[in-house]
């Protein structure tokens, strides 16, 4: 019976087994989003609070803040408030992209290949637009 | 920014995050006017801040909605392909399409949708949905627990390809105008794919972060994300979206619709004024 994979795929899923099937991936996605927002919010808050405690000194001239990962890293080493905040924004931007990567992995593991392929295509579009955007800037 | 301005941005963003998480919107309709009118930030930077707000709303709200199984993961993943490619196309087309006319068309579409939504204002759950064969193949049909009804609600997904087309259009419009993608996503899932209202708004919340991420790289690398404003906005939105997502599960779908109608009209007027100017 288990060799007949086509028949297996066409077998109707009852609500119950579909739910147990989905539960794991949903728990993973949900916890990832939870901790992702927590990390990003903490960094942004720390950056803002540091600048405020230092009387508005972000470590950079007014209107200037680090954008490139290398500059952010340098700023972090120097303890600049704006670098901590920028890291928080980077973490925030990484959340949706990583989340799509997690669903690609999850659907593949559950052998739901059509939706895994769709999700993979989304990941590629995101990466492409990210690269296009960064280059265009 | 002064301490007062920071506090003001924080409080305004709590409201944006709250409404956004409730209705599946990014809160751009609140953030963009707040940034331009209150903080006198140029439009491009306002959109940059709004993108941060959308991702923050989406991440914080979807965490709760995915856990409760109200957001439909598979519907979201499927439609994301349409919204991201549409958004990319929209961003490319910006230079070639008169945005003024598009803004007016968009506002008319919203008025029409508000009328439709008003007609359906008392409908709690969609009735007699047959379900699309492709939706069954992709395991989209699902069940969620409705707290206000106190029971499991099984539902089917209809109009898969029509929904995909609507999402593509929603993506293009959001790429062109930098606003309104969440609203069109909810309308598409509600009217074309005939999902329960709560599933539509929750799934929209799940998707909008990904649509926004498609243009976030450009805005961040161009330095259009002004951290002194984006910081308090992100924090406020996190707080608002957290509370909004816990309130949403306690509301009836018909209540959500009644909140949605004035928000649609408000946005329509906002866009109309912008388009006529």
């Amino acid at each position: 019976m288990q060799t007949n994979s086509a028949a297996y795929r066409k077998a109707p899923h009852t609500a119950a087994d579909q739910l147990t099937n989905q539960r794991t991936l949903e728990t993973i996605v949900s916890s990832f989003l939870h901790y992702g927002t927590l990390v990003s919010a903490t960094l942004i808050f720390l950056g803002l609070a540091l600048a405020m405690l230092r009387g508005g000194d972000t470590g950079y001239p007014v209107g200037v803040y680090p954008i490139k990962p290398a500059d952010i890293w340098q700023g972090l080493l120097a303890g600049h408030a704006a670098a901590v905040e920028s890291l928080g924004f980077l973490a925030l931007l990484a959340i949706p992209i990583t989340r799509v990567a997690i669903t690609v992995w999850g659907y593949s593991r559950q052998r739901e290949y059509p939706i895994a392929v769709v999700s993979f295509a989304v990941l590629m579009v995101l990466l492409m637009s990210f690269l296009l955007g960064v280059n265009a800037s | 920014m002064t301490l007062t301005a920071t506090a003001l941005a924080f409080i305004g963003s709590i409201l944006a995050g709250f409404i956004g998480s409730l209705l599946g919107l990014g809160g751009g309709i609140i953030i963009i006017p707040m940034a331009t009118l209150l903080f006198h930030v140029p439009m491009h930077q306002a959109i940059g801040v709004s993108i941060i707000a959308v991702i923050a709303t989406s991440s914080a709200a979807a965490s709760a909605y995915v856990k409760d199984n109200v957001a439909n993961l598979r519907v979201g993943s499927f439609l994301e392909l349409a919204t991201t490619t549409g958004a990319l196309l929209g961003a490319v087309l910006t230079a070639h399409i008169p945005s003024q006319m598009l803004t007016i068309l968009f506002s008319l579409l919203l008025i029409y949708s508000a009328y439709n939504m008003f007609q359906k204002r008392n409908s709690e759950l969609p009735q007699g949905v047959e379900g699309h064969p492709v939706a069954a193949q992709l395991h989209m049909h699902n069940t969620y627990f409705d707290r206000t009804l106190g029971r499991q609600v099984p539902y089917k997904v209809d109009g898969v390809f029509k929904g995909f087309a609507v999402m593509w259009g929603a993506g293009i419009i959001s790429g062109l105008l930098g606003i309104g993608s969440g609203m069109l996503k909810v309308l598409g899932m509600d009217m074309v794919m005939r999902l329960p209202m709560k599933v539509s708004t929750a799934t929209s919340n799940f998707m909008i972060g990904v649509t926004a991420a498609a243009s976030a790289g450009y805005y961040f690398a161009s330095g259009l994300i002004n951290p002194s404003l984006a910081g308090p906005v992100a924090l406020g939105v996190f707080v608002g979206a957290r509370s909004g997502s816990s309130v949403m599960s306690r509301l009836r779908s018909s209540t959500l619709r009644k909140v949605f109608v004035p928000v649609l009209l408000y946005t329509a007027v906002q866009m109309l004024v912008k388009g006529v100017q």
Side-chain angles (χ1 to χ4, degrees), chain A residues 82-107:
Chain A
V84 179
E85 203 190 337
S86 278
L87 189 66
F89 288 125
L90 268 191
L92 184 63
L93 300 187
I95 292 175
I97 301 172
T98 315
R99 199 272 289 154
V100 175
I102 291 174
T103 51
V104 174
W105 167 82
Y107 295 139

Side-chain angles (χ1 to χ4, degrees), chain B:
Chain B
M1 288 212 314
T2 62
L3 202 62
T4 328
T6 306
L8 211 62
F10 177 73
I11 293 167
S13 305
I14 294 181
L15 180 71
F18 185 83
I19 304 252
S21 61
L22 218 56
L23 301 179
L25 322 172
I29 49 163
I30 294 172
I31 299 291
I32 291 184
M34 182 178 88
T36 52
L37 300 177
L38 226 55
F39 296 101
H40 309 291
V41 162
M43 193 57 189
H44 253 77
Q45 282 194 23
I47 296 178
V49 171
S50 158
I51 285 175
I52 287 292
V54 174
I55 300 180
T57 307
S58 173
S59 307
S63 158
Y65 294 148
V66 169
K67 190 174 165 199
D68 295 344
N69 210 31
V70 188
N72 189 316
L73 227 60
R74 281 155 184 78
V75 168
S77 290
F78 177 75
L79 296 178
E80 270 163 14
L81 185 58
T83 58
T84 48
T85 49
L88 205 58
L89 183 65
V92 174
L93 288 178
T94 311
H96 309 286
I97 285 186
S99 72
Q100 198 164 26
M101 204 181 71
L102 194 83
T103 310
I104 295 173
L105 278 177
F106 180 59
S107 70
L108 295 179
L109 177 72
L110 290 183
I111 291 171
Y112 171 74
S113 307
Y115 171 75
N116 259 333
M117 186 68 88
F118 182 74
Q119 296 276 320
K120 284 174 73 176
R121 67 193 177 280
N122 291 321
S123 132
E124 188 61 32
L125 292 171
Q127 302 295 327
V129 180
E130 301 247 326
H132 196 280
V134 172
Q137 272 171 2
L138 296 178
H139 306 310
M140 283 177 178
H141 303 326
N142 213 323
T143 304
Y144 77 97
F145 182 77
D146 197 307
R147 274 200 218 173
T148 46
L149 301 177
R151 64 174 173 91
Q152 295 282 345
V153 176
Y155 61 90
K156 292 195 166 176
V157 182
D158 217 346
V160 170
F161 294 118
K162 269 187 243 163
F164 193 87
V166 169
M167 295 304 147
W168 201 61
I172 293 178
I173 288 180
S174 68
L176 276 169
L177 302 179
I179 200 169
S181 79
M183 210 163 268
L184 292 178
K185 285 184 181 94
V186 175
L187 292 168
M189 280 184 278
D190 181 61
M191 291 175 181
V192 180
M193 304 180 79
R194 307 199 56 210
L195 295 170
M197 185 63 182
K198 284 187 183 180
V199 177
S200 301
T201 62
T203 308
S204 173
N205 261 312
F206 176 73
M207 299 192 321
I208 50 177
V210 170
T211 320
S215 44
Y218 169 75
Y219 280 90
F220 188 71
S222 312
L224 289 169
I225 290 171
N226 176 345
S228 56
L229 181 58
V233 164
L235 293 179
V237 161
F238 279 137
V239 173
R242 268 292 143 91
S243 39
S245 56
S246 66
V247 167
M248 192 271 247
S249 61
R250 292 184 183 87
L251 295 179
R252 301 185 74 92
S253 292
S254 44
T255 311
L256 280 182
R257 289 182 191 284
K258 282 164 197 153
V259 181
F260 207 83
V261 171
V263 173
L264 279 173
L265 288 174
Y266 160 77
T267 313
V269 171
Q270 210 183 63
M271 298 307 273
L272 205 59
V273 168
K274 201 181 141 203
V276 171
Q277 265 173 3

